[in-house]
Amino acid sequence: MATESLKVAFLEDHPFGEGGEGVTMGDVVPADVSSPTRLEGKTMAIVYCWFLGLGSLISWNSMLTIADYYYALFPDYHPSRVLTLVYQPFALGTMAILAYYEAKIDTRKRNIFGYILFSASTFGLLAIDLATGGKGGIGNYIGICAFVAAFGVADAHVQGGMVGDLSFMCPEFIQSFFAGLAASGALTSGLRLITKAAFDKTSHGLRKGVVLFLAISTILEVLCIFLYAFIFAKLPIVKYFRRKAASEGSTTVAADLAAAGIRTNDGPKDDAKQERLSNKQLLKQNIDYAIDLYLIYVLTLSIFPGFLYENTGTHKLGAWYAVVLVAMYNVWDLIGRYVPLIKCTKLESRKGLMIAILSRFALIPAFYFTAKYGDQGYMIFLVSFLGLTNGHLTVCVLTAAPKGYKAPEQNALGNLLVLFLLGGIFSGVALDWLWIIGNGTF
């Protein structure tokens, strides 16, 4: 008994083990885990979170960025709008189920499954194109839609799982993960501009660029599987936060702790520590944050990407116009997700966040009149502002909401917020059709 007490005391004073080297193989999670005196591995964890965020959306952003190719193959099927509308119900439905059962779901299996599904689906898109020689037709279009639906299922697994997991760690991890999400858009847009320029004048140049694009995306997804499964879980700071979560009653981290060589304590449970707010209570206390995320993405997806591809008219940039607009949105969305790192720019007031988010709806008439009467320069400015505010406000909400809760509650709240985020995306995608119905082009 004395030996065990000394061991627990040692772990409390040295949350990363002797010399900060991390908890050794076979260590047991103590009843209480003290705050660390130094957060070793924090910088690497931030980098890995960024890369995992990149991998969780690069497949979908690849689809959006190569939409010009699908418009060439399927000119009558509104690819950017239809594929987005196929994607979102699967993402939202899967996320609703996962959010309801989040306390019983193994986060490690959930995230790894999501990344594997992303990899397989991206490779499936590549296989369809190679097998058919880049031909159009309703059969190929249905096959593409099937893989896009798989993207939705994978997104719900990964985004909800990662946000829930990172919500009980450092706010910087959430910020970095969402910066990685935006970086996937900026990266795919940059690659698209390069491949379009490189292959534009060659035979089947558009298709060659797309094949290269999908191959790179598949490789990045496979790398994310190995990063999450074998590297991220073993970082000292990640082990610390997961040990702390386990000590507060979280059961979703058990497999990740086991992968890092840490056994959870299967002894008698402290009922006081096992108590947590229900999902209903958490949602009631944070309904404004949930509505914030819903409104952010309702507006953004009612404009991006469908409006940019089909309702902005013809300008001097010609076939490059929509590609440039998507690239500008993605770049400024990425920048916006880093802006909250400047403390004076970070919005933390609940009322301030709601006012800022509601004020973005003035962009709807601005886009309408700019598309009708304005030059391409004004449209590029508006798209950039849309991306900047989307990224900035998303990070402000998701880093502020989990504060003050125990780890199991933070995990549950992270899943609920992602559910509302995806709900906003789905609603925005549906409302996006009003642009073409209003123009009589449907």
Side-chain angles (χ1 to χ4, degrees):
M1 181 67 72
T3 303
E4 185 63 27
S5 299
L6 288 171
K7 184 175 183 181
V8 170
F10 174 81
L11 286 171
E12 288 177 343
D13 291 334
H14 302 82
F16 299 122
E18 188 174 6
E21 295 300 324
V23 181
T24 58
M25 208 54 153
D27 281 339
V28 180
V29 174
D32 293 291
V33 182
S34 62
S35 298
T37 55
R38 57 188 185 280
L39 299 176
E40 296 197 8
K42 183 175 181 179
T43 301
M44 290 308 300
I46 289 173
V47 172
Y48 293 155
C49 286
W50 185 91
F51 197 85
L52 290 168
L54 176 81
S56 69
L57 210 56
I58 195 166
S59 295
W60 175 239
N61 275 316
S62 296
M63 287 292 302
L64 295 181
T65 309
I66 62 176
D68 57 334
Y69 174 62
Y70 288 130
Y71 272 99
L73 293 183
F74 314 106
D76 299 324
Y77 299 148
H78 304 286
S80 68
R81 285 188 162 105
V82 170
L83 294 178
T84 308
L85 197 58
V86 168
Y87 176 95
Q88 291 306 326
F90 284 91
L92 183 61
T94 305
M95 188 64 230
I97 295 169
L98 293 173
Y100 185 80
Y101 293 106
E102 60 79 27
K104 301 177 182 178
I105 297 173
D106 185 325
T107 300
R108 180 177 177 81
K109 291 179 181 177
R110 172 180 175 174
N111 288 334
I112 291 175
F113 172 78
Y115 282 118
I116 290 173
L117 187 56
F118 268 134
S119 303
S121 302
T122 310
F123 181 76
L125 288 176
L126 180 60
I128 283 181
D129 194 84
L130 293 174
T132 61
K135 294 179 181 178
I138 188 65
N140 292 344
Y141 194 60
I142 292 172
I144 291 169
C145 287
F147 285 118
V148 168
F151 283 167
V153 175
D155 184 25
H157 278 79
V158 171
Q159 192 167 171
M162 287 299 300
V163 170
D165 208 21
L166 299 178
S167 290
F168 57 75
M169 300 187 194
C170 296
E172 293 91 339
F173 292 178
I174 286 274
Q175 181 275 327
S176 186
F177 179 78
F178 274 87
L181 293 177
S184 68
L187 176 63
T188 52
S189 291
L191 286 173
R192 188 73 194 100
L193 290 171
I194 292 169
T195 55
K196 188 174 177 65
F199 297 114
D200 200 28
K201 303 299 182 182
T202 64
S203 176
H204 304 292
L206 190 60
R207 179 172 175 254
K208 290 176 182 177
V210 168
V211 168
L212 177 62
F213 216 77
L214 293 174
I216 291 172
S217 298
T218 303
I219 292 169
L220 288 174
E221 293 290 1
V222 172
L223 289 175
C224 282
I225 298 171
F226 287 96
L227 175 61
Y228 182 83
F230 301 111
I231 301 175
F232 184 68
K234 295 182 180 179
L235 290 174
I237 188 170
V238 174
K239 289 192 285 187
Y240 163 74
F241 281 114
R242 283 175 172 161
R243 288 170 56 233
K244 184 172 182 290
S247 74
E248 292 177 353
S250 176
T251 58
T252 61
V253 296
D256 279 311
L257 285 173
I262 302 171
R263 293 182 291 110
T264 53
N265 190 351
D266 295 325
K269 304 288 186 182
D270 186 340
D271 291 337
K273 288 191 175 183
Q274 300 303 311
E275 290 180 2
R276 50 151 284 188
L277 296 174
S278 67
N279 286 358
K280 185 177 180 181
Q281 291 171 316
L282 285 169
L283 186 57
K284 186 176 180 180
Q285 292 180 12
N286 295 277
I287 190 63
D288 55 330
Y289 287 132
I291 293 172
D292 284 344
L293 285 171
Y294 178 84
L295 293 177
I296 289 170
Y297 284 88
V298 161
L299 176 68
T300 298
L301 270 293
S302 67
I303 297 169
F304 175 88
F307 177 85
L308 303 185
Y309 273 104
E310 297 188 15
N311 298 92
T312 51
T314 304
H315 294 273
K316 295 176 183 177
L317 287 171
W320 287 81
Y321 188 46
V323 178
V324 169
L325 289 179
V326 171
M328 292 304 297
Y329 169 85
N330 285 324
V331 168
W332 282 98
D333 185 33
L334 173 60
I335 293 171
R337 297 183 189 220
Y338 280 101
V339 170
L341 293 178
I342 305 170
K343 194 170 183 179
C344 62
T345 67
K346 186 176 182 181
L347 272 175
E348 294 185 297
S349 163
R350 289 187 163 195
K351 289 183 179 178
L353 281 167
M354 184 62 77
I355 291 169
I357 289 163
L358 290 174
S359 67
R360 292 178 81 231
F361 281 84
L363 288 171
I364 293 176
F367 271 97
Y368 175 78
F369 287 110
T370 302
K372 200 166 185 178
Y373 305 111
D375 194 12
Q376 61 189 24
Y378 293 107
M379 183 61 73
I380 290 172
F381 170 77
L382 281 179
V383 169
S384 301
F385 186 74
L386 178 72
L388 179 68
T389 53
N390 183 83
H392 179 247
L393 293 171
T394 297
V395 169
C396 287
V397 172
L398 284 165
T399 54
K403 292 179 180 178
Y405 292 102
K406 295 192 297 184
E409 295 165 343
Q410 290 171 321
N411 188 9
L413 180 58
N415 277 269
L416 290 171
L417 292 177
V418 170
L419 176 62
F420 274 80
L421 185 155
L422 292 176
I425 292 175
F426 179 66
S427 300
V429 168
L431 291 171
D432 182 48
W433 286 87
L434 294 177
W435 292 105
I436 57 174
I437 294 171
N439 289 339
T441 57
F442 181 63

